[in-house]
Amino acid sequence: MLTDHTTLSQFLIEERRRFPEATGDFSALIIDVGLACKAIARRVANGALGGALGQAGTTNIQGETQQKLDVIANDVFIRANEWGGQLAGMASEEMDMPWAIPPRYPRGKYLLLFDPLDGSSNIDVNAPVGSIFSILRAPNPGVEPRPEDFLQPGVKQVCAGYAIYGPSTMLVLTVGTGVHGFTLDPQLGEFILTHPRIKMPTTTQEFAINASNARFWEPAVKRYVDECLEGQPGPRGKDFNMRWIASLVADCHRILIRGGVFMYPRDTRDPGKPGKLRLMYEANPIALIAEQAGGMAITGQDRILDVKPTKLHQRIALIFGSREEVERIESYHRDHSGRDFGTPKFKTDELFQTAK
């Protein structure tokens, strides 16, 4: 029986007891991910006192300027997870190619993908940032993976989560049995279960979008936002608020707790690009969390978790949040495209069991 003071370790042990054949490797990997998040939280909290603010003077594979903490957080994730024997390999938004587990360490049966510090442009202004992670099964356990081994659709994830470094540090994750939130107790140094079985409200009066891109939006997105802005006299019959933090983790956490819809749609600035956010490091883990909490996540037309990746740093459009609003946006895309897009219901398999 889980108590009000259940730690992350206790939670994972209770989950594992439901599946006696589980080896414990999966739980150990999540604990190591949690340790990385604790270390990053401390560096973020130190701010200017730790000398880690500002730009690193380097760029990542996407050509984006890296912050010092981007580089530090990436290294923390690698060091915390490469040694334990649970991983066959890792891939990061900040690295061109997957990270090979050093020969001195054993290789395991999982793949870890992560965005070590999401929203890093907010660091210097002391706004919330976070880390996002996704765990897949390695096609060839114990063997160094090929880059294509990571290219699995989001539905294949056995765990997804994020840490948010705000007024308190929280770790939010799903292992296929709902979404659970753990708050870091700084005195104990432990993540404590504070938000069990999080359910996203099905409807909302809030939306999140970068309004400066309005002139580039697809017709379906423009129609949705225009209707929201018309408020109570308009076709929606209610007033809406817009919230935009420019940190995916922070926007996701708000929507998860109190409802809302997040939109980073495909636009016409560069028709050759299908979106801005990274499928493997951002969209897939956030989509699994959204669906496990009762929400939805789509590209506009298609379910995010069904998208078959074609490259490690693939970009994609992402719309997720309260089910009624996402369904409305999806229907608007059908109206404007003339295509009949189906959204298959997500089968909430016992991912913890398949991850053993």
PDB file of all heavy atoms in Angstrom, residues 181-204:
ATOM      1  N   GLY A 181       3.512  11.942 -10.181  1.00  0.00           N
ATOM      2  CA  GLY A 181       4.435  13.034  -9.939  1.00  0.00           C
ATOM      3  C   GLY A 181       5.116  12.902  -8.586  1.00  0.00           C
ATOM      4  O   GLY A 181       4.470  12.603  -7.573  1.00  0.00           O
ATOM      5  N   PHE A 182       6.414  13.134  -8.568  1.00  0.00           N
ATOM      6  CA  PHE A 182       7.237  13.011  -7.363  1.00  0.00           C
ATOM      7  C   PHE A 182       7.938  14.340  -7.119  1.00  0.00           C
ATOM      8  O   PHE A 182       8.569  14.891  -8.025  1.00  0.00           O
ATOM      9  CB  PHE A 182       8.279  11.910  -7.528  1.00  0.00           C
ATOM     10  CG  PHE A 182       7.709  10.554  -7.837  1.00  0.00           C
ATOM     11  CD1 PHE A 182       7.308  10.226  -9.129  1.00  0.00           C
ATOM     12  CD2 PHE A 182       7.565   9.600  -6.835  1.00  0.00           C
ATOM     13  CE1 PHE A 182       6.783   8.982  -9.422  1.00  0.00           C
ATOM     14  CE2 PHE A 182       7.036   8.350  -7.116  1.00  0.00           C
ATOM     15  CZ  PHE A 182       6.638   8.038  -8.416  1.00  0.00           C
ATOM     16  N   THR A 183       7.832  14.851  -5.900  1.00  0.00           N
ATOM     17  CA  THR A 183       8.484  16.111  -5.536  1.00  0.00           C
ATOM     18  C   THR A 183       9.759  15.814  -4.767  1.00  0.00           C
ATOM     19  O   THR A 183       9.776  14.966  -3.870  1.00  0.00           O
ATOM     20  CB  THR A 183       7.538  16.970  -4.674  1.00  0.00           C
ATOM     21  OG1 THR A 183       6.340  17.235  -5.416  1.00  0.00           O
ATOM     22  CG2 THR A 183       8.199  18.290  -4.303  1.00  0.00           C
ATOM     23  N   LEU A 184      10.830  16.519  -5.117  1.00  0.00           N
ATOM     24  CA  LEU A 184      12.112  16.299  -4.462  1.00  0.00           C
ATOM     25  C   LEU A 184      12.120  16.943  -3.086  1.00  0.00           C
ATOM     26  O   LEU A 184      11.919  18.156  -2.948  1.00  0.00           O
ATOM     27  CB  LEU A 184      13.242  16.885  -5.322  1.00  0.00           C
ATOM     28  CG  LEU A 184      14.660  16.722  -4.761  1.00  0.00           C
ATOM     29  CD1 LEU A 184      15.032  15.250  -4.632  1.00  0.00           C
ATOM     30  CD2 LEU A 184      15.666  17.458  -5.650  1.00  0.00           C
ATOM     31  N   ASP A 185      12.334  16.133  -2.065  1.00  0.00           N
ATOM     32  CA  ASP A 185      12.520  16.624  -0.706  1.00  0.00           C
ATOM     33  C   ASP A 185      14.000  16.971  -0.555  1.00  0.00           C
ATOM     34  O   ASP A 185      14.844  16.075  -0.499  1.00  0.00           O
ATOM     35  CB  ASP A 185      12.117  15.547   0.312  1.00  0.00           C
ATOM     36  CG  ASP A 185      12.196  16.025   1.753  1.00  0.00           C
ATOM     37  OD1 ASP A 185      13.079  16.866   2.051  1.00  0.00           O
ATOM     38  OD2 ASP A 185      11.402  15.551   2.586  1.00  0.00           O
ATOM     39  N   PRO A 186      14.349  18.248  -0.494  1.00  0.00           N
ATOM     40  CA  PRO A 186      15.773  18.610  -0.477  1.00  0.00           C
ATOM     41  C   PRO A 186      16.494  18.154   0.790  1.00  0.00           C
ATOM     42  O   PRO A 186      17.710  17.974   0.766  1.00  0.00           O
ATOM     43  CB  PRO A 186      15.746  20.135  -0.590  1.00  0.00           C
ATOM     44  CG  PRO A 186      14.386  20.545  -0.125  1.00  0.00           C
ATOM     45  CD  PRO A 186      13.471  19.423  -0.488  1.00  0.00           C
ATOM     46  N   GLN A 187      15.768  17.960   1.874  1.00  0.00           N
ATOM     47  CA  GLN A 187      16.418  17.511   3.105  1.00  0.00           C
ATOM     48  C   GLN A 187      16.748  16.028   3.047  1.00  0.00           C
ATOM     49  O   GLN A 187      17.821  15.602   3.488  1.00  0.00           O
ATOM     50  CB  GLN A 187      15.533  17.818   4.314  1.00  0.00           C
ATOM     51  CG  GLN A 187      15.371  19.311   4.582  1.00  0.00           C
ATOM     52  CD  GLN A 187      14.525  19.590   5.811  1.00  0.00           C
ATOM     53  OE1 GLN A 187      13.544  18.900   6.067  1.00  0.00           O
ATOM     54  NE2 GLN A 187      14.904  20.605   6.567  1.00  0.00           N
ATOM     55  N   LEU A 188      15.840  15.232   2.505  1.00  0.00           N
ATOM     56  CA  LEU A 188      16.074  13.794   2.387  1.00  0.00           C
ATOM     57  C   LEU A 188      16.857  13.447   1.126  1.00  0.00           C
ATOM     58  O   LEU A 188      17.474  12.385   1.055  1.00  0.00           O
ATOM     59  CB  LEU A 188      14.743  13.038   2.362  1.00  0.00           C
ATOM     60  CG  LEU A 188      13.884  13.074   3.627  1.00  0.00           C
ATOM     61  CD1 LEU A 188      12.569  12.337   3.387  1.00  0.00           C
ATOM     62  CD2 LEU A 188      14.638  12.440   4.787  1.00  0.00           C
ATOM     63  N   GLY A 189      16.790  14.330   0.122  1.00  0.00           N
ATOM     64  CA  GLY A 189      17.401  14.006  -1.155  1.00  0.00           C
ATOM     65  C   GLY A 189      16.644  12.930  -1.897  1.00  0.00           C
ATOM     66  O   GLY A 189      17.221  12.198  -2.715  1.00  0.00           O
ATOM     67  N   GLU A 190      15.352  12.801  -1.633  1.00  0.00           N
ATOM     68  CA  GLU A 190      14.527  11.756  -2.232  1.00  0.00           C
ATOM     69  C   GLU A 190      13.342  12.366  -2.970  1.00  0.00           C
ATOM     70  O   GLU A 190      12.776  13.383  -2.542  1.00  0.00           O
ATOM     71  CB  GLU A 190      13.993  10.807  -1.155  1.00  0.00           C
ATOM     72  CG  GLU A 190      15.044   9.983  -0.452  1.00  0.00           C
ATOM     73  CD  GLU A 190      15.471   8.781  -1.294  1.00  0.00           C
ATOM     74  OE1 GLU A 190      14.910   8.576  -2.380  1.00  0.00           O
ATOM     75  OE2 GLU A 190      16.365   8.052  -0.836  1.00  0.00           O
ATOM     76  N   PHE A 191      12.960  11.722  -4.066  1.00  0.00           N
ATOM     77  CA  PHE A 191      11.710  12.071  -4.739  1.00  0.00           C
ATOM     78  C   PHE A 191      10.568  11.372  -4.007  1.00  0.00           C
ATOM     79  O   PHE A 191      10.570  10.148  -3.846  1.00  0.00           O
ATOM     80  CB  PHE A 191      11.731  11.626  -6.199  1.00  0.00           C
ATOM     81  CG  PHE A 191      12.511  12.547  -7.109  1.00  0.00           C
ATOM     82  CD1 PHE A 191      13.703  12.142  -7.666  1.00  0.00           C
ATOM     83  CD2 PHE A 191      12.027  13.818  -7.397  1.00  0.00           C
ATOM     84  CE1 PHE A 191      14.416  12.975  -8.508  1.00  0.00           C
ATOM     85  CE2 PHE A 191      12.735  14.676  -8.242  1.00  0.00           C
ATOM     86  CZ  PHE A 191      13.927  14.252  -8.801  1.00  0.00           C
ATOM     87  N   ILE A 192       9.571  12.161  -3.571  1.00  0.00           N
ATOM     88  CA  ILE A 192       8.431  11.648  -2.807  1.00  0.00           C
ATOM     89  C   ILE A 192       7.172  11.734  -3.667  1.00  0.00           C
ATOM     90  O   ILE A 192       6.903  12.772  -4.294  1.00  0.00           O
ATOM     91  CB  ILE A 192       8.224  12.453  -1.509  1.00  0.00           C
ATOM     92  CG1 ILE A 192       9.521  12.492  -0.680  1.00  0.00           C
ATOM     93  CG2 ILE A 192       7.077  11.854  -0.694  1.00  0.00           C
ATOM     94  CD1 ILE A 192      10.024  11.156  -0.210  1.00  0.00           C
ATOM     95  N   LEU A 193       6.392  10.664  -3.697  1.00  0.00           N
ATOM     96  CA  LEU A 193       5.151  10.641  -4.471  1.00  0.00           C
ATOM     97  C   LEU A 193       4.149  11.636  -3.880  1.00  0.00           C
ATOM     98  O   LEU A 193       3.649  11.441  -2.773  1.00  0.00           O
ATOM     99  CB  LEU A 193       4.562   9.226  -4.473  1.00  0.00           C
ATOM    100  CG  LEU A 193       3.255   9.038  -5.250  1.00  0.00           C
ATOM    101  CD1 LEU A 193       3.453   9.330  -6.727  1.00  0.00           C
ATOM    102  CD2 LEU A 193       2.724   7.617  -5.053  1.00  0.00           C
ATOM    103  N   THR A 194       3.869  12.691  -4.612  1.00  0.00           N
ATOM    104  CA  THR A 194       2.943  13.726  -4.158  1.00  0.00           C
ATOM    105  C   THR A 194       1.729  13.873  -5.078  1.00  0.00           C
ATOM    106  O   THR A 194       0.719  14.439  -4.680  1.00  0.00           O
ATOM    107  CB  THR A 194       3.653  15.087  -4.084  1.00  0.00           C
ATOM    108  OG1 THR A 194       4.301  15.355  -5.338  1.00  0.00           O
ATOM    109  CG2 THR A 194       4.685  15.105  -2.964  1.00  0.00           C
ATOM    110  N   HIS A 195       1.846  13.367  -6.310  1.00  0.00           N
ATOM    111  CA  HIS A 195       0.762  13.517  -7.288  1.00  0.00           C
ATOM    112  C   HIS A 195       0.505  12.166  -7.966  1.00  0.00           C
ATOM    113  O   HIS A 195       0.885  11.949  -9.116  1.00  0.00           O
ATOM    114  CB  HIS A 195       1.130  14.560  -8.345  1.00  0.00           C
ATOM    115  CG  HIS A 195       1.283  15.953  -7.829  1.00  0.00           C
ATOM    116  ND1 HIS A 195       2.313  16.331  -6.995  1.00  0.00           N
ATOM    117  CD2 HIS A 195       0.550  17.071  -8.045  1.00  0.00           C
ATOM    118  CE1 HIS A 195       2.205  17.612  -6.707  1.00  0.00           C
ATOM    119  NE2 HIS A 195       1.149  18.081  -7.338  1.00  0.00           N
ATOM    120  N   PRO A 196      -0.140  11.226  -7.245  1.00  0.00           N
ATOM    121  CA  PRO A 196      -0.412   9.925  -7.860  1.00  0.00           C
ATOM    122  C   PRO A 196      -1.545  10.015  -8.879  1.00  0.00           C
ATOM    123  O   PRO A 196      -2.460  10.826  -8.754  1.00  0.00           O
ATOM    124  CB  PRO A 196      -0.816   9.058  -6.663  1.00  0.00           C
ATOM    125  CG  PRO A 196      -1.390  10.026  -5.676  1.00  0.00           C
ATOM    126  CD  PRO A 196      -0.605  11.303  -5.852  1.00  0.00           C
ATOM    127  N   ARG A 197      -1.431   9.216  -9.922  1.00  0.00           N
ATOM    128  CA  ARG A 197      -2.514   9.045 -10.907  1.00  0.00           C
ATOM    129  C   ARG A 197      -3.043  10.392 -11.405  1.00  0.00           C
ATOM    130  O   ARG A 197      -4.236  10.687 -11.301  1.00  0.00           O
ATOM    131  CB  ARG A 197      -3.632   8.191 -10.319  1.00  0.00           C
ATOM    132  CG  ARG A 197      -3.189   6.761 -10.007  1.00  0.00           C
ATOM    133  CD  ARG A 197      -4.264   5.977  -9.306  1.00  0.00           C
ATOM    134  NE  ARG A 197      -4.506   6.505  -7.951  1.00  0.00           N
ATOM    135  CZ  ARG A 197      -3.756   6.222  -6.898  1.00  0.00           C
ATOM    136  NH1 ARG A 197      -2.728   5.415  -7.016  1.00  0.00           N
ATOM    137  NH2 ARG A 197      -4.025   6.729  -5.717  1.00  0.00           N
ATOM    138  N   ILE A 198      -2.172  11.196 -11.963  1.00  0.00           N
ATOM    139  CA  ILE A 198      -2.567  12.513 -12.477  1.00  0.00           C
ATOM    140  C   ILE A 198      -3.507  12.331 -13.669  1.00  0.00           C
ATOM    141  O   ILE A 198      -3.240  11.550 -14.584  1.00  0.00           O
ATOM    142  CB  ILE A 198      -1.335  13.323 -12.910  1.00  0.00           C
ATOM    143  CG1 ILE A 198      -0.415  13.571 -11.717  1.00  0.00           C
ATOM    144  CG2 ILE A 198      -1.750  14.645 -13.546  1.00  0.00           C
ATOM    145  CD1 ILE A 198       0.920  14.194 -12.097  1.00  0.00           C
ATOM    146  N   LYS A 199      -4.598  13.066 -13.654  1.00  0.00           N
ATOM    147  CA  LYS A 199      -5.547  13.065 -14.762  1.00  0.00           C
ATOM    148  C   LYS A 199      -5.697  14.478 -15.305  1.00  0.00           C
ATOM    149  O   LYS A 199      -6.052  15.402 -14.569  1.00  0.00           O
ATOM    150  CB  LYS A 199      -6.909  12.518 -14.320  1.00  0.00           C
ATOM    151  CG  LYS A 199      -6.956  11.007 -14.165  1.00  0.00           C
ATOM    152  CD  LYS A 199      -6.713  10.319 -15.506  1.00  0.00           C
ATOM    153  CE  LYS A 199      -6.776   8.815 -15.400  1.00  0.00           C
ATOM    154  NZ  LYS A 199      -6.461   8.162 -16.693  1.00  0.00           N
ATOM    155  N   MET A 200      -5.448  14.629 -16.572  1.00  0.00           N
ATOM    156  CA  MET A 200      -5.581  15.927 -17.220  1.00  0.00           C
ATOM    157  C   MET A 200      -7.055  16.268 -17.414  1.00  0.00           C
ATOM    158  O   MET A 200      -7.826  15.424 -17.895  1.00  0.00           O
ATOM    159  CB  MET A 200      -4.878  15.882 -18.581  1.00  0.00           C
ATOM    160  CG  MET A 200      -4.799  17.207 -19.301  1.00  0.00           C
ATOM    161  SD  MET A 200      -4.072  16.994 -20.961  1.00  0.00           S
ATOM    162  CE  MET A 200      -2.426  16.393 -20.544  1.00  0.00           C
ATOM    163  N   PRO A 201      -7.507  17.465 -17.026  1.00  0.00           N
ATOM    164  CA  PRO A 201      -8.900  17.847 -17.286  1.00  0.00           C
ATOM    165  C   PRO A 201      -9.231  17.705 -18.770  1.00  0.00           C
ATOM    166  O   PRO A 201      -8.396  18.022 -19.629  1.00  0.00           O
ATOM    167  CB  PRO A 201      -8.947  19.307 -16.830  1.00  0.00           C
ATOM    168  CG  PRO A 201      -7.872  19.421 -15.795  1.00  0.00           C
ATOM    169  CD  PRO A 201      -6.775  18.510 -16.265  1.00  0.00           C
ATOM    170  N   THR A 202     -10.437  17.237 -19.069  1.00  0.00           N
ATOM    171  CA  THR A 202     -10.787  16.953 -20.462  1.00  0.00           C
ATOM    172  C   THR A 202     -11.090  18.204 -21.267  1.00  0.00           C
ATOM    173  O   THR A 202     -11.035  18.185 -22.498  1.00  0.00           O
ATOM    174  CB  THR A 202     -11.996  16.010 -20.535  1.00  0.00           C
ATOM    175  OG1 THR A 202     -13.104  16.611 -19.844  1.00  0.00           O
ATOM    176  CG2 THR A 202     -11.668  14.668 -19.888  1.00  0.00           C
ATOM    177  N   THR A 203     -11.450  19.275 -20.591  1.00  0.00           N
ATOM    178  CA  THR A 203     -11.732  20.523 -21.295  1.00  0.00           C
ATOM    179  C   THR A 203     -10.981  21.647 -20.622  1.00  0.00           C
ATOM    180  O   THR A 203     -10.410  21.467 -19.536  1.00  0.00           O
ATOM    181  CB  THR A 203     -13.247  20.815 -21.317  1.00  0.00           C
ATOM    182  OG1 THR A 203     -13.508  21.906 -22.204  1.00  0.00           O
ATOM    183  CG2 THR A 203     -13.762  21.144 -19.915  1.00  0.00           C
ATOM    184  N   THR A 204     -10.965  22.814 -21.243  1.00  0.00           N
ATOM    185  CA  THR A 204     -10.112  23.883 -20.740  1.00  0.00           C
ATOM    186  C   THR A 204     -10.565  25.235 -21.263  1.00  0.00           C
ATOM    187  O   THR A 204     -11.373  25.316 -22.198  1.00  0.00           O
ATOM    188  CB  THR A 204      -8.655  23.647 -21.177  1.00  0.00           C
ATOM    189  OG1 THR A 204      -7.823  24.655 -20.621  1.00  0.00           O
ATOM    190  CG2 THR A 204      -8.526  23.701 -22.691  1.00  0.00           C
TER     191      THR A 204
END
